[in-house]
Amino acid sequence: MNKAFLIGGILLISATINAQTKTITGFTTQGAAQQFLLEQNFDKNLSSSGIGNTIKELSSRPHNLGSAGSKWVAENIYNRYKSYGFDVRIDTYHVLFPTPKIRVLEMTSPSTYKALLKEPALKEDATSGQADQLPTYNAFSADGDVTAELVFVNYGLPEDYELLERMGIDVKGKIVIAKYGRSWRGIKPKVAQEHGALGCIIYSDPMDDGYFQGDVYPKGAFKNEYGVQRGSVMDMPVYPGDPLTPGVGATANAQRIASHNDATNLLKIPVLPISYHDAEPLLKALDGAVAPDGWRGVLPFTYHIGAGKTKVHLKLEFNWDIVPCYDVIATIKGSLYPDEWIIRGNHHDAWVNGADDPISGQAALLEEAKSIGELLKTGWRPKRTIVYCAWDGEEPALLGSTEFAEDHAKELQEKAVLYINSDANGRGFLGAGGSHALETFMTEVARDVNDPQTNVSVLERLRAQQIINASSAKAKQDAMQKTGIDLNALGSGSDFSSFLQHLGVPSLDIGYGGENNGGDYHSIYDSYDDYRRFKDPSFAYGVALSTTAGHAALRMANAEVLPFDFRNLYKIINGYTEELINLTNDMRDNTKTENDIIRNNYYSVATDTALHLSMPKPKGEVPYLDFSSLQNALLGLQIATDNLWNKWNTMAGAPTTADAFNRKLYQAEQQLLLTNGLPQRGWYRHAIYAPGLYTGYGVKTMPGIREAIEQRDWKQAQQQILLDAEVINNLSNYLKESAQ
Amino acid sequence: MNKAFLIGGILLISATINAQTKTITGFTTQGAAQQFLLEQNFDKNLSSSGIGNTIKELSSRPHNLGSAGSKWVAENIYNRYKSYGFDVRIDTYHVLFPTPKIRVLEMTSPSTYKALLKEPALKEDATSGQADQLPTYNAFSADGDVTAELVFVNYGLPEDYELLERMGIDVKGKIVIAKYGRSWRGIKPKVAQEHGALGCIIYSDPMDDGYFQGDVYPKGAFKNEYGVQRGSVMDMPVYPGDPLTPGVGATANAQRIASHNDATNLLKIPVLPISYHDAEPLLKALDGAVAPDGWRGVLPFTYHIGAGKTKVHLKLEFNWDIVPCYDVIATIKGSLYPDEWIIRGNHHDAWVNGADDPISGQAALLEEAKSIGELLKTGWRPKRTIVYCAWDGEEPALLGSTEFAEDHAKELQEKAVLYINSDANGRGFLGAGGSHALETFMTEVARDVNDPQTNVSVLERLRAQQIINASSAKAKQDAMQKTGIDLNALGSGSDFSSFLQHLGVPSLDIGYGGENNGGDYHSIYDSYDDYRRFKDPSFAYGVALSTTAGHAALRMANAEVLPFDFRNLYKIINGYTEELINLTNDMRDNTKTENDIIRNNYYSVATDTALHLSMPKPKGEVPYLDFSSLQNALLGLQIATDNLWNKWNTMAGAPTTADAFNRKLYQAEQQLLLTNGLPQRGWYRHAIYAPGLYTGYGVKTMPGIREAIEQRDWKQAQQQILLDAEVINNLSNYLKESAQ
């Protein structure tokens, strides 16, 4: 008996023990054993080279919404599903999608420069020289022809304008230039417009994703001087989807807003994204004050604010066309519960070739479907219906998923058990966000997926990352004690938004990343050549995504009692409420202190007189808000979720009777929908999760209350507390009833 | 009666009330009234144009140690004191001062570049083209002729080498290039040498004081591409002053170490400072790994670590001459206590023209002396002797002040009541550091000096700055409650070091700044033209320094009972002790946590495999140290300082009998001197204040204990606790005796 044999023996034993002790919430011991076997078979059919080939094929030509390439991709996907044995159809919507007709940006004073507005082809990138690329632009910019002084506004956030005001600089009647980053791009022109700017230019500073971060493409992954981030600037935090058909599906005969000029989520000013090659002469020509600390990028000169001699001319005109939007919908009918749907989606449209965004996620999804197709051939069927979706038009405005969700709203609210989303995917760590009643579910899924680079599960790798990144010894020790996943709360930026925030369908958003950084995002260099070098060279994280999302879909499809645990939802809402109370108290302390400082002239005494800054003005004191309705609602929710969990365990002992209970479980989250939606944006109805009105993709939890507090609208904050308390009480009553 | 009159009337009354209620600690009411009158007369004679003229004159030619210019400046100052009515002499020491004979830096592979090593003359800067400028170099570099691979080491701090080791990069046998900043420059080659490097290049990255910070000279104040920071790299944290005569004055016949090669504070490797113009081709040529986050500067390319194909040749040879060092010493004998000295000093040598460093401080000091000269003409005499000093050779090694202090050690320990230092000075906020028994004294001085830009005292402006910069609402509220100054603890970097840290003479270091940033430091562009544009355009902060330091000198010279309050010293040492206990506890928690993380493989699981980093190694657990001797000593010190303060108040009631008591007060700080000095550097004898062995100018408080803890030398930490407890007990006993 040698040492190697001994080690093998021990490993074998420990693996056996592991398999014996592992459970899956929602399955009996026997059910779990069958499910593990199913997953083993599912996993066997996943192939990294298959994923690589799909990425190469689907990113082989430009395929933005409305293009021939997009139609070709939709049909390619359609045919794949056919071959996998799915029922498949293409749902076509008709959506507004502006594309550029005229794009001019030139400096007219103090010297002249005409912007290239063009990313050059590279010999190292096979697809970079293709025809039919969408030029560099921001979709849903307004038409415009303006000439004005240029002002540098940092990242173009509300607080940047506050500092500009203190510096005595008004952007009214001027054109602003903002850096990409720190906020969703659509916020920049929106805030500029609110401050009276005539136009907005957005550029990628090399500090953020260019040479300051690493070698630039094609030597390395980061943005070269000509790279441009395209992207939408529709005000999606107001509503996403087709701007002409808010709240309803953009079918051929849908009633439409007469003109895009009447849509409340479209800008009135022109916006254009540019490279740092094009930004450099403009920024270098700016005079005026030196840009404050934290505003400067790394181009090799001193950044100034401008509003002086530097003038630019910006002229943009668009084709405001209505184009077809092809959603591919592929179904396998459930054997036991055909009217309970597990929906899995990823978009297929790209700004250009989109090997990373979205094809890396789409390819993983198709690999799942292919593998499920192999299972079908063995005679297997899921208990619940599985719906695999490839959305079109995500890039301009989450169009395909939003129109689908609006079009099928009622049916989805009845039938949709879970929506599982993915998007761009790459090497790194599991990222998972979604409905918090699914935290245990997601933890167990992550526990059972191996990380391709290390010898641990993706759950363990994520835990390790959270441990080493924790900010203090105490936080690290706490993180070591935690065994589960903290699901991120979801804002916007991908196709889960309509399901979760408009319909209250339980949702997950899953992907890998963190070791796939670069500057290709929404540029022509988001290509297969870039992807295979810098994003996921072995396509192993494609397989990890297929495994993760596939297991999630299959488990939810086959679960005996659906693995929703609302005790986690209670905990998270309770935590948010504490945050809001602390936020209000901190704002009260800070306001009092700042007002004391202002009234005692400490700012004027301590500020450099050479900066000629005006002093901050005192703000209204922060009142005490009455959080008691919310706190009492949470007391009720805690009891209701504990009792429901008791009932859940009872059902787990008699799973064959769980049908009606399961339906109650997956429809529960709809109780958190606000009757009239959020203030100023009724499309968003979820009381707990929404994108921020002034942050964009970034989530605001309990947004009605939180944004009212942040905007110092105390009356609205108080109203929103009552409304959130009401939906929480609704949920408690609903769960109480469900527990009987 | 009109409104203006009313306002005038109110102001007049408030000024009267103010004058009536203001007191000066150490003076009777009558004494204080006389002193205020004296200060009014002193202030009347201060002139901003006088200071401007002095700066222009004394910076009109290069005047480094050993140069004709330095002799000329010393004589100019000598003649001024003559004209002011001081007794004046020049004390000449003979000190080692290397100047460059050969300077070559060239890249030999992968391409060739020969560094310019030259700052060009500018038409906007009248003195920038003068002959007799010291070339760009680091004084006390070793001679050397080395060719080796180049490695970028960030700021060259110990932790930078830890990361390099994890990256698998060894600098042994290589030449390193480090950025200026984050540590005193001498630490960079010292740490490089300890890691086996053959040579060291230091450059100024534009991120730190170049175009990233603001417009470059001559358009703005920041470093242009050719600017170079000269400076000493002697290991002054071991001992400053003439390296050949440690501990004794470098008089003509002093016993000297035979060769500079035997001095323990001199490097064995060559070091050269360069501009970013010269650094750019070298850095751009580096290959190897991308420099980690936080290492990269803002030159327009991606920074790499190197240790590959890029090779440089560095050849340096120096004239190791012994040169005369001219200290100008000007005295006014005290009328009552001629053997009690108030010493006021500022160096006069510069690296080149030195309008800012040191002439701005020197000019303020001369303005004080001139004004005191005017008072002398009225028949006034200070009660104690006033000694005004202009030190030579500060730049290479605090030579003039150190040799003077060593030469006159015994007399100074008997007679020196206070040493007041200044150095470069400019627009902004009062900065004051020193012996903490002088905190009340310094607060009252600052209370009575007007800030030139705002309508408040320099104390109020400093308070306002501390309030607005405090990190939280709570910290801001606390700062608003505070009325006094927090004196900074002193490290090194100017001429107070020998007085305070070698002799235990109570010391203050005073200057204005914070609104005078730029990149001229130790370059040819530290000129009058630069100064009058960017440092203190109206020379008003020169007057503020004259007023502050002059009042401090005059108050200490005339005080009835010397205003030392050791209760503040107790509080500060007690605070440092708490810090050390917390530091040890935090290190224990952190070590335990890090070791847990390492042993659980969380680092290896969470680290990007593409970085090929080796994992951190577990460290020895942190034992519990016995702080009780120190804590008990502090109990005693609290009682002793409280009792002494009672005695002090008794003496204040009968000031004419305070002579012996006063002597006790000003000699008390010598009780804090350690018999054998600090470990590895016995020259530093103060138990509370020293520069850091691995930070340079930056202070380490209770350095014996603190550095032992930081170096994880627990045995030494325990020994140093006992030694510090011993000197604190000595001080308590001394104060107890003095209170009797």
Side-chain angles (χ1 to χ4, degrees):
Chain A
M1 201 188 281
N2 64 24
K3 203 174 164 196
F5 183 75
L6 252 179
I7 291 170
I10 290 165
L11 281 175
L12 189 65
I13 293 161
S14 104
T16 313
I17 291 170
N18 201 19
Q20 284 174 341
T21 52
K22 260 207 300 198
T23 60
I24 314 177
T25 304
F27 289 81
T28 57
T29 311
Q30 201 193 343
Q34 281 173 0
Q35 188 69 16
F36 281 129
L37 204 61
L38 178 73
E39 291 175 2
Q40 277 176 30
N41 288 326
F42 171 82
D43 293 353
K44 262 192 294 197
N45 295 319
L46 301 174
S47 143
S48 56
S49 62
I51 290 174
N53 291 336
T54 305
I55 295 176
K56 188 167 188 182
E57 183 175 345
L58 297 188
S59 67
S60 62
R61 52 188 285 195
H63 56 107
N64 59 276
L65 169 70
S67 68
S70 174
K71 188 153 189 283
W72 172 80
V73 164
E75 285 164 358
N76 181 300
I77 293 171
Y78 176 92
N79 291 330
R80 288 173 183 247
Y81 280 110
K82 273 281 182 212
S83 75
Y84 305 156
F86 283 57
D87 292 327
V88 55
R89 68 178 197 268
I90 292 184
D91 284 2
T92 305
Y93 295 98
H94 303 275
V95 297
L96 183 68
F97 180 50
T99 51
K101 206 153 62 179
I102 297 175
R103 296 175 309 138
V104 175
L105 173 66
E106 53 197 0
M107 178 162 63
T108 59
S109 159
S111 55
T112 59
Y113 173 76
K114 192 164 163 59
L116 303 177
L117 310 182
K118 171 79 186 153
E119 298 166 300
L122 296 169
K123 68 175 189 315
E124 296 86 349
D125 190 303
T127 58
S128 61
Q130 290 176 330
D132 301 329
Q133 295 169 344
L134 265 186
T136 55
Y137 81 117
N138 286 134
F140 298 104
S141 156
D143 292 330
D145 184 353
V146 291
T147 301
E149 288 164 8
L150 188 66
V151 181
F152 175 57
V153 296
N154 194 24
Y155 290 100
L157 311 180
E159 56 263 38
D160 296 326
Y161 289 89
E162 284 173 26
L163 188 47
L164 284 172
E165 192 191 334
R166 289 193 57 196
M167 297 173 81
I169 293 168
D170 187 354
V171 303
K172 199 169 174 181
K174 304 197 170 67
I175 295 172
V176 304
I177 181 165
K179 291 183 280 190
Y180 262 118
R182 303 282 172 94
S183 72
W184 177 62
R185 81 183 75 76
I187 301 300
K188 299 170 197 289
K190 169 178 169 171
V191 178
Q193 176 179 300
E194 286 174 1
H195 284 82
L198 298 183
C200 177
I201 303 163
I202 315 178
Y203 83 101
S204 299
D205 198 281
M207 178 182 263
D208 293 310
D209 63 354
Y211 58 73
F212 185 72
Q213 296 297 335
D215 289 319
V216 303
Y217 197 67
K219 184 183 178 195
F222 290 92
K223 200 178 242 94
N224 64 37
E225 65 178 303
Y226 302 107
V228 179
Q229 182 189 137
R230 288 157 190 76
S232 174
V233 290
M234 180 199 283
D235 198 359
M236 282 186 263
V238 172
Y239 66 90
D242 179 27
L244 302 182
T245 61
V248 299
T251 53
N253 303 317
Q255 199 168 349
R256 286 183 160 71
I257 295 175
S259 158
H260 69 265
N261 294 320
D262 300 328
T264 58
N265 62 351
L266 297 188
L267 286 165
K268 304 293 183 198
I269 63 170
V271 197
L272 188 70
I274 62 173
S275 67
Y276 62 82
H277 178 92
D278 278 342
E280 183 157 355
L282 278 53
L283 290 169
K284 204 169 175 176
L286 289 175
D287 51 6
V290 170
D293 220 15
W295 285 44
R296 298 164 217 139
V298 295
L299 289 168
F301 49 80
T302 305
Y303 286 53
H304 291 78
I305 296 292
K309 61 178 193 235
T310 306
K311 282 194 179 174
V312 294
H313 171 218
L314 174 64
K315 183 175 180 186
L316 299 175
E317 250 178 63
F318 301 92
N319 300 300
W320 292 89
D321 294 335
I322 290 188
V323 301
C325 172
Y326 303 112
D327 289 343
V328 188
I329 310 294
T331 305
I332 298 166
K333 193 166 272 185
S335 59
L336 279 179
Y337 312 111
D339 287 338
E340 296 183 8
W341 297 354
I342 315 303
I343 310 170
R344 169 80 178 95
N346 194 106
H347 69 101
H348 68 72
D349 69 304
W351 279 116
V352 193
N353 297 73
D356 180 46
D357 181 7
I359 297 304
S360 61
Q362 182 62 241
L365 180 149
L366 288 169
E367 193 70 14
E368 291 161 49
K370 189 184 75 180
S371 179
I372 289 170
E374 296 298 318
L375 296 176
L376 294 177
K377 288 182 193 162
T378 68
W380 170 85
R381 284 288 174 283
K383 290 182 187 162
R384 295 185 178 80
T385 293
I386 292 177
V387 186
Y388 268 62
C389 309
W391 311 116
D392 200 355
E394 189 266 3
E395 293 299 357
L398 316 178
L399 288 157
S401 59
T402 302
E403 299 315 315
F404 178 87
E406 290 175 345
D407 196 22
H408 300 282
K410 192 156 172 294
E411 193 175 14
L412 287 167
Q413 288 189 319
E414 270 171 41
K415 298 180 180 171
V417 176
L418 172 63
Y419 174 67
I420 306 168
N421 189 68
S422 62
D423 203 324
N425 187 67
R427 197 167 66 88
F429 300 85
L430 173 64
S435 302
H436 283 91
L438 296 171
E439 221 155 33
T440 304
F441 172 73
M442 194 63 221
T443 296
E444 291 177 356
V445 168
R447 174 197 66 188
D448 298 337
V449 177
N450 270 329
D451 176 67
Q453 293 181 100
T454 59
N455 213 9
V456 300
S457 70
V458 297
L459 173 65
E460 278 309 290
R461 187 161 203 234
L462 182 61
R463 277 191 64 230
Q465 186 196 40
Q466 286 165 346
I467 289 163
I468 73 167
N469 288 347
S471 58
S472 66
K474 170 85 174 61
K476 284 175 207 255
Q477 289 288 356
D478 290 350
M480 280 192 265
Q481 296 311 312
K482 288 199 61 160
T483 53
I485 265 183
D486 288 327
L487 276 186
N488 303 317
L490 292 179
S492 185
S494 196
D495 293 302
F496 54 79
S497 186
S498 296
F499 293 93
L500 180 65
Q501 294 153 350
H502 190 57
L503 300 182
V505 169
S507 300
L508 288 171
D509 184 48
I510 301 174
Y512 289 85
E515 294 170 340
N516 57 345
N517 292 334
D520 56 295
Y521 180 64
H522 291 187
S523 77
I524 63 168
Y525 310 120
D526 178 1
S527 63
Y528 180 73
D529 284 326
D530 182 272
Y531 193 87
R532 70 179 171 77
R533 291 178 60 203
F534 302 117
K535 298 292 177 180
D536 183 17
S538 66
F539 309 107
Y541 280 93
V543 174
L545 176 56
S546 298
T547 314
T548 312
H551 289 194
L554 293 174
R555 285 185 186 185
M556 200 56 97
N558 287 341
E560 292 156 304
V561 188
L562 289 174
F564 286 86
D565 186 348
F566 292 95
R567 295 176 306 172
N568 289 329
L569 178 65
Y570 157 74
K571 273 184 217 146
I572 208 91
I573 302 180
N574 197 52
Y576 296 154
T577 302
E578 281 173 17
E579 272 176 29
L580 293 171
I581 293 171
N582 291 337
L583 173 65
T584 315
N585 290 339
D586 289 349
M587 280 178 77
R588 188 178 307 109
D589 290 350
N590 287 333
T591 301
K592 192 195 167 317
T593 301
E594 288 301 303
N595 288 349
D596 284 351
I597 289 174
I598 292 164
R599 292 191 186 112
N600 282 304
N601 290 323
Y602 292 129
Y603 278 117
S604 54
V605 164
T607 302
D608 189 344
T609 57
L611 298 177
H612 305 294
L613 292 182
S614 68
M615 291 306 124
K617 293 176 192 66
K619 290 182 173 146
E621 302 290 341
V622 176
Y624 288 86
L625 297 176
D626 176 5
F627 281 97
S628 64
S629 56
L630 197 52
Q631 291 166 311
N632 288 320
L634 283 162
L635 285 181
L637 184 62
Q638 183 174 25
I639 295 166
T641 56
D642 283 346
N643 288 342
L644 187 79
W645 190 243
N646 293 336
K647 166 81 168 182
W648 193 98
N649 278 301
T650 311
M651 296 311 296
T656 52
T657 65
D659 193 13
F661 184 66
N662 279 337
R663 187 170 291 255
K664 284 284 183 189
L665 288 173
Y666 74 72
Q667 291 178 353
E669 191 155 348
Q670 294 173 42
Q671 298 298 318
L672 291 175
L673 297 182
L674 298 158
T675 313
N676 298 313
L678 293 175
Q680 304 170 65
R681 44 183 182 144
W683 187 93
Y684 285 95
R685 297 194 291 175
H686 204 296
I688 310 301
Y689 315 115
L693 203 51
Y694 282 90
T695 51
Y697 288 169
V699 68
K700 291 283 175 183
T701 55
M702 303 184 83
I705 307 172
R706 193 181 296 271
E707 293 193 327
I709 293 172
E710 288 173 352
Q711 305 294 324
R712 308 178 85 86
D713 185 339
W714 312 116
K715 195 173 151 196
Q716 187 169 91
Q718 191 63 66
Q719 287 165 352
Q720 292 293 315
I721 289 171
L722 293 173
L723 291 174
D724 279 8
E726 190 179 312
V727 295
I728 291 169
N729 284 330
N730 292 348
L731 178 62
S732 298
N733 291 335
Y734 175 95
L735 296 179
K736 201 168 150 188
E737 211 178 274
S738 310
Q740 277 163 3
Chain B
M1 201 188 285
N2 64 24
K3 202 172 163 201
F5 183 74
L6 250 179
I7 291 168
I10 288 165
L11 281 175
L12 189 66
I13 292 161
S14 109
T16 313
I17 289 170
N18 201 18
Q20 282 174 343
T21 52
K22 263 207 301 200
T23 60
I24 313 177
T25 303
F27 290 81
T28 57
T29 312
Q30 198 192 344
Q34 283 174 2
Q35 188 69 14
F36 282 130
L37 204 62
L38 178 73
E39 290 174 3
Q40 276 175 31
N41 288 327
F42 170 83
D43 295 352
K44 264 192 297 199
N45 295 319
L46 301 174
S47 144
S48 56
S49 61
I51 289 174
N53 291 337
T54 304
I55 295 176
K56 188 167 188 182
E57 183 175 345
L58 297 188
S59 67
S60 62
R61 53 188 285 198
H63 56 106
N64 59 275
L65 169 70
S67 68
S70 173
K71 186 154 193 281
W72 172 80
V73 165
E75 284 163 358
N76 180 302
I77 292 171
Y78 176 93
N79 291 329
R80 287 172 184 250
Y81 280 110
K82 274 280 180 211
S83 75
Y84 303 156
F86 282 57
D87 291 326
V88 56
R89 68 178 198 268
I90 293 184
D91 285 0
T92 306
Y93 295 97
H94 303 274
V95 296
L96 183 68
F97 181 51
T99 52
K101 208 155 60 178
I102 298 175
R103 294 175 310 138
V104 174
L105 172 66
E106 54 196 0
M107 178 162 61
T108 59
S109 159
S111 55
T112 58
Y113 174 75
K114 194 165 160 59
L116 302 176
L117 310 182
K118 170 81 186 154
E119 297 166 301
L122 296 169
K123 67 179 190 313
E124 296 87 347
D125 190 305
T127 58
S128 62
Q130 289 177 331
D132 301 329
Q133 295 168 343
L134 264 186
T136 55
Y137 81 117
N138 286 134
F140 297 105
S141 155
D143 292 330
D145 184 352
V146 289
T147 301
E149 289 165 8
L150 188 66
V151 181
F152 175 56
V153 295
N154 194 22
Y155 290 100
L157 312 180
E159 55 264 38
D160 296 326
Y161 288 90
E162 284 173 27
L163 188 47
L164 284 172
E165 192 191 332
R166 289 194 58 198
M167 298 173 80
I169 294 167
D170 187 354
V171 303
K172 198 167 176 185
K174 304 196 170 66
I175 294 172
V176 303
I177 181 165
K179 292 184 281 190
Y180 262 118
R182 303 282 171 92
S183 72
W184 177 62
R185 81 182 75 75
I187 300 300
K188 298 170 197 290
K190 169 178 168 172
V191 178
Q193 176 179 303
E194 287 173 358
H195 284 82
L198 298 183
C200 178
I201 303 163
I202 316 178
Y203 83 100
S204 300
D205 198 281
M207 178 181 264
D208 293 311
D209 63 355
Y211 57 73
F212 185 73
Q213 296 297 334
D215 290 319
V216 302
Y217 198 66
K219 183 182 179 195
F222 290 91
K223 198 176 244 98
N224 63 37
E225 64 178 303
Y226 302 107
V228 179
Q229 181 189 137
R230 289 160 190 74
S232 174
V233 289
M234 181 198 283
D235 197 358
M236 282 186 263
V238 172
Y239 66 90
D242 180 25
L244 302 182
T245 61
V248 299
T251 52
N253 303 319
Q255 196 167 351
R256 285 180 162 73
I257 294 175
S259 158
H260 69 266
N261 294 319
D262 301 328
T264 58
N265 63 349
L266 297 189
L267 285 166
K268 304 294 182 196
I269 64 170
V271 197
L272 188 70
I274 62 174
S275 67
Y276 62 82
H277 178 91
D278 279 340
E280 184 157 357
L282 278 52
L283 291 169
K284 205 169 176 176
L286 289 175
D287 52 7
V290 170
D293 221 16
W295 285 45
R296 299 165 217 139
V298 296
L299 290 168
F301 50 80
T302 304
Y303 286 54
H304 292 78
I305 295 293
K309 62 182 190 228
T310 305
K311 283 194 178 174
V312 295
H313 170 218
L314 175 63
K315 182 176 181 185
L316 299 174
E317 250 179 61
F318 300 93
N319 299 301
W320 291 90
D321 295 334
I322 291 187
V323 300
C325 171
Y326 303 111
D327 289 343
V328 188
I329 311 292
T331 305
I332 298 165
K333 192 165 272 188
S335 60
L336 278 180
Y337 312 112
D339 287 338
E340 296 183 9
W341 297 355
I342 316 301
I343 310 172
R344 169 81 177 96
N346 194 106
H347 70 103
H348 68 72
D349 70 304
W351 279 116
V352 192
N353 296 76
D356 180 46
D357 180 8
I359 297 305
S360 61
Q362 181 63 242
L365 179 148
L366 288 168
E367 194 71 13
E368 290 162 50
K370 188 184 77 181
S371 179
I372 289 171
E374 295 297 317
L375 296 178
L376 293 177
K377 288 183 191 158
T378 67
W380 170 86
R381 283 289 174 282
K383 289 183 187 161
R384 295 185 178 79
T385 293
I386 290 178
V387 186
Y388 267 62
C389 309
W391 311 116
D392 201 354
E394 189 266 2
E395 293 297 358
L398 316 177
L399 288 156
S401 58
T402 301
E403 298 315 315
F404 179 87
E406 290 175 344
D407 196 22
H408 301 282
K410 190 155 175 295
E411 193 174 12
L412 287 166
Q413 288 190 316
E414 271 172 38
K415 298 180 180 172
V417 175
L418 172 63
Y419 173 68
I420 305 169
N421 189 67
S422 62
D423 204 322
N425 187 67
R427 196 167 68 86
F429 301 85
L430 173 62
S435 302
H436 285 90
L438 296 171
E439 220 155 33
T440 304
F441 172 73
M442 194 63 222
T443 296
E444 290 177 357
V445 168
R447 174 197 67 190
D448 298 337
V449 177
N450 270 328
D451 175 67
Q453 293 181 98
T454 60
N455 212 10
V456 300
S457 70
V458 296
L459 174 64
E460 277 308 291
R461 187 161 203 237
L462 181 60
R463 275 190 66 229
Q465 186 196 38
Q466 286 165 345
I467 289 163
I468 72 167
N469 288 347
S471 57
S472 66
K474 170 83 175 61
K476 284 173 207 254
Q477 289 289 357
D478 290 348
M480 281 192 265
Q481 296 311 312
K482 288 201 61 160
T483 53
I485 265 184
D486 288 326
L487 276 186
N488 303 318
L490 292 179
S492 183
S494 196
D495 293 302
F496 54 77
S497 187
S498 296
F499 293 94
L500 179 64
Q501 293 154 350
H502 189 59
L503 300 181
V505 169
S507 299
L508 288 170
D509 184 49
I510 301 173
Y512 289 86
E515 293 170 340
N516 57 346
N517 292 335
D520 56 294
Y521 179 63
H522 291 187
S523 77
I524 63 168
Y525 309 120
D526 177 0
S527 63
Y528 180 74
D529 284 327
D530 182 272
Y531 193 88
R532 70 179 171 75
R533 291 177 62 203
F534 301 117
K535 298 292 177 179
D536 183 17
S538 67
F539 309 107
Y541 279 94
V543 174
L545 176 57
S546 298
T547 314
T548 312
H551 288 193
L554 293 173
R555 284 186 187 185
M556 200 56 94
N558 286 342
E560 292 156 307
V561 188
L562 289 174
F564 286 86
D565 185 349
F566 292 95
R567 295 176 306 171
N568 290 330
L569 179 63
Y570 157 74
K571 274 184 217 145
I572 208 92
I573 301 179
N574 198 50
Y576 296 153
T577 301
E578 282 172 17
E579 272 176 29
L580 293 172
I581 294 171
N582 291 337
L583 173 64
T584 314
N585 290 339
D586 288 350
M587 281 178 77
R588 188 178 307 109
D589 289 351
N590 287 334
T591 300
K592 190 194 167 322
T593 301
E594 288 300 303
N595 288 349
D596 284 351
I597 290 174
I598 293 164
R599 292 191 185 112
N600 282 304
N601 289 323
Y602 291 129
Y603 277 116
S604 54
V605 164
T607 303
D608 188 343
T609 56
L611 298 176
H612 305 294
L613 292 181
S614 68
M615 293 305 124
K617 293 174 192 65
K619 289 181 172 149
E621 303 289 342
V622 176
Y624 288 86
L625 297 176
D626 175 5
F627 280 98
S628 65
S629 56
L630 196 53
Q631 292 168 310
N632 288 322
L634 283 162
L635 285 181
L637 184 62
Q638 183 174 25
I639 296 166
T641 56
D642 282 347
N643 287 342
L644 186 80
W645 189 244
N646 293 336
K647 166 81 170 186
W648 193 98
N649 278 302
T650 312
M651 297 310 297
T656 51
T657 65
D659 194 12
F661 184 67
N662 280 337
R663 186 170 291 253
K664 283 283 181 190
L665 289 174
Y666 74 73
Q667 291 177 353
E669 192 156 345
Q670 294 173 41
Q671 298 298 318
L672 291 175
L673 298 182
L674 297 158
T675 313
N676 298 312
L678 293 174
Q680 304 170 66
R681 44 185 183 142
W683 187 92
Y684 285 96
R685 298 194 290 174
H686 204 296
I688 310 301
Y689 315 115
L693 202 51
Y694 282 90
T695 52
Y697 289 170
V699 67
K700 291 282 175 184
T701 55
M702 304 184 81
I705 307 173
R706 193 181 296 269
E707 293 194 328
I709 293 172
E710 287 173 350
Q711 305 293 324
R712 308 177 86 87
D713 185 339
W714 311 116
K715 195 175 149 194
Q716 188 171 91
Q718 192 62 65
Q719 287 165 351
Q720 293 292 316
I721 289 171
L722 292 173
L723 290 174
D724 279 9
E726 189 180 312
V727 296
I728 291 169
N729 285 330
N730 291 347
L731 178 61
S732 297
N733 291 334
Y734 175 95
L735 297 179
K736 199 167 151 189
E737 209 178 276
S738 309
Q740 274 161 5

